[in-house]
Amino acid sequence: MLYDKILNITKYYLGPAAEPFLNRQITRHLKTEASKLEPQHISELARWCGISGALVMDKAKAQEFSQKVRSVA
Amino acid sequence: MSGWFKNLRIRNKLLLSFFAVILLGAIALTLNISYMINVRASTDRMITETQKMTALREFQSVYSAVEMYERSYLLSGNEEFLEKREESEIAAGNLLEKARSLAHEEEKGEFAKLAEMMEGEEEFNRVVALYQSGKRKEAMALTQELYSEVLDEADVQISRIINNAQLLLDQINTQTQSQVHKTVATGFIVALASVLLSLLLAILLAGSITTPIAHLRDVAEKVSLGDLSIKVDVDQKNEIGELGDSFDRMVTAVRFFAAQDGEAQEDLAGKEGQK
């Protein structure tokens, strides 16, 4: 449920790359799995979405993306 | 291009442009109708004044005939002239009434004076009585005296009315010409404004649609050639903006998938972020 909410937000910014992008942030940086995503992970996930997002998109947009992910919590 | 127009949806831009041109046309039509109503009113007044002048001139001529038939009767004693005199007097009365019905309020007094002058039945009876009692010379003298005075006064009165009508006609004519000039000028100005407005709206519309599409075409071209660093920059909040967003999302996904060393870059960026 939580994962789906964040995936929907991510889709707006990364389209078809949303799922692999999100999964990579969860597994690589949060050291967990998508199905085990908990509200306490959101802040860190949002930070990584901002950092990793800025590599493939405009910095302002990545910041906006990060804020939206953070607002899910 | 002003922001609000740029951000309008394309359908609304087209509708706005259409209504702007229609509104201009409607304003021009209203102005021209108002001018034409004025011209029509002026023409009606000119027709009235002309009819009044014509009736007065005919009256002058017919009333002179009354005098002529009366003299002819006095000279010849032929009673046919009396009948003709009577017919002419009735005709003159009708013409005067017709002219009076066409007169302005301020002219009514002058027409009343004219009508008063024409009432000479008693005098005429005196003339006939003198004539029938054998006093032909006296009758002729009385006729001469009566008509010379009345006709002179009537001529002055009629000339005054006709001169005023002529002045009014000139004035109306000048006003009508001015209205016609205004109509032509308004038509020309509105046609020119419509052309300029249509041109301006066409430029704005074309620019707001083709410029971002050309930009997206350039971005697609560069991405297709492997340049993923290009930024999608479409600053509109309408269908074009939505197309730009979709395109940006697609390019972002391509960047992500194409990043061979994405993870290494993320790690490095993460470390820099923690510092």
Side-chain angles (χ1 to χ4, degrees):
Chain A
M1 189 69 178
L2 188 62
Y3 173 79
D4 289 342
K5 273 188 186 171
I6 295 168
L7 183 62
N8 277 338
I9 294 169
T10 312
K11 272 183 184 169
Y12 177 78
Y13 293 93
L14 283 127
E19 204 165 351
F21 175 87
L22 196 58
N23 287 342
R24 193 158 82 193
Q25 310 312 312
I26 294 168
T27 53
R28 185 155 185 88
H29 303 301
L30 305 183
K31 310 289 185 201
T32 182
E33 288 170 36
S35 58
K36 292 178 183 170
L37 196 65
E38 297 290 335
Q40 62 266 25
H41 293 129
I42 298 300
S43 175
E44 186 64 3
L45 180 62
R47 191 173 76 83
W48 278 105
C49 283
I51 293 165
S52 304
L55 295 173
V56 288
M57 68 181 81
D58 186 65
K59 275 189 179 162
K61 217 167 180 181
Q63 196 58 39
E64 181 190 296
F65 173 36
S66 173
Q67 290 295 328
K68 282 195 179 171
V69 173
R70 200 180 300 278
S71 70
V72 172
Chain B
M1 194 196 314
S2 54
W4 70 270
F5 186 80
K6 189 174 71 177
N7 291 327
L8 280 179
R9 298 191 81 78
I10 293 171
R11 180 173 161 274
N12 293 343
K13 279 181 189 172
L14 287 169
L15 281 175
L16 181 74
S17 309
F18 176 73
F19 281 120
V21 174
I22 292 285
L23 181 67
L24 203 59
I27 291 169
L29 190 66
T30 310
L31 280 175
N32 277 343
I33 287 173
S34 120
Y35 291 150
M36 292 321 290
I37 288 170
N38 287 341
V39 168
R40 174 69 199 267
S42 301
T43 311
D44 286 349
R45 283 183 69 194
M46 283 170 87
I47 291 169
T48 306
E49 289 302 313
T50 310
Q51 284 175 337
K52 184 177 76 187
M53 284 164 69
T54 309
L56 276 173
R57 285 192 172 124
E58 281 180 23
F59 165 78
Q60 266 183 311
S61 145
V62 171
Y63 199 75
S64 299
V66 173
E67 187 210 7
M68 187 191 77
Y69 287 130
E70 197 170 317
R71 282 176 190 271
S72 299
Y73 166 70
L74 294 176
L75 288 170
S76 67
N78 186 347
E79 294 207 345
E80 272 183 31
F81 288 119
L82 279 183
E83 283 172 25
K84 285 186 177 174
R85 182 201 173 279
E86 183 68 18
E87 283 169 15
S88 296
E89 198 165 30
I90 292 167
N94 289 340
L95 284 165
L96 187 62
E97 192 48 44
K98 183 184 174 186
R100 183 159 49 176
S101 71
L102 297 167
H104 312 290
E105 207 51 51
E106 57 269 26
E107 284 177 334
K108 298 280 183 189
E110 295 189 52
F111 275 90
K113 276 184 207 164
L114 260 180
E116 210 175 298
M117 283 178 210
M118 300 309 133
E119 283 169 6
E121 201 56 37
E122 273 182 35
E123 284 85 352
F124 174 64
N125 288 338
R126 273 171 58 206
V127 170
V128 172
L130 280 170
Y131 180 77
Q132 284 173 350
S133 64
K135 294 175 180 171
R136 191 176 285 186
K137 278 188 181 173
E138 286 84 346
M140 284 290 278
L142 184 56
T143 301
Q144 173 76 26
E145 185 193 329
L146 291 173
Y147 280 99
S148 66
E149 193 180 323
V150 168
L151 284 175
D152 284 351
E153 276 184 40
D155 278 350
V156 170
Q157 202 77 10
I158 290 168
S159 296
R160 192 161 47 230
I161 295 170
I162 286 177
N163 284 343
N164 286 341
Q166 191 60 54
L167 281 173
L168 193 61
L169 271 180
D170 292 344
Q171 199 183 337
I172 295 168
N173 191 34
T174 311
Q175 282 172 357
T176 308
Q177 279 183 2
S178 158
Q179 293 287 348
V180 170
H181 289 156
K182 272 185 191 170
T183 310
V184 172
T186 307
F188 178 75
I189 289 167
V190 171
L192 191 68
S194 294
V195 168
L196 291 177
L197 182 69
S198 304
L199 197 67
L200 178 74
L201 289 170
I203 290 169
L204 285 177
L205 260 174
S208 73
I209 296 168
T210 58
T211 307
I213 287 177
H215 169 66
L216 291 177
R217 180 203 59 204
D218 292 344
V219 171
E221 176 78 6
K222 287 188 176 167
V223 170
S224 73
L225 293 172
D227 180 2
L228 297 176
S229 64
I230 190 154
K231 190 183 170 196
V232 178
D233 185 17
V234 179
D235 181 25
Q236 289 190 27
K237 291 179 178 64
N238 54 15
E239 297 94 327
I240 301 285
E242 287 159 10
L243 178 65
D245 286 345
S246 302
F247 209 80
D248 189 33
R249 195 159 39 239
M250 199 171 68
V251 173
T252 304
V254 172
R255 265 190 218 119
F256 176 79
F257 288 128
Q260 297 297 313
D261 56 347
E263 288 184 30
Q265 283 185 40
E266 282 175 20
D267 291 342
L268 185 63
K271 281 173 191 165
E272 281 175 3
Q274 281 169 342
K275 279 180 188 175

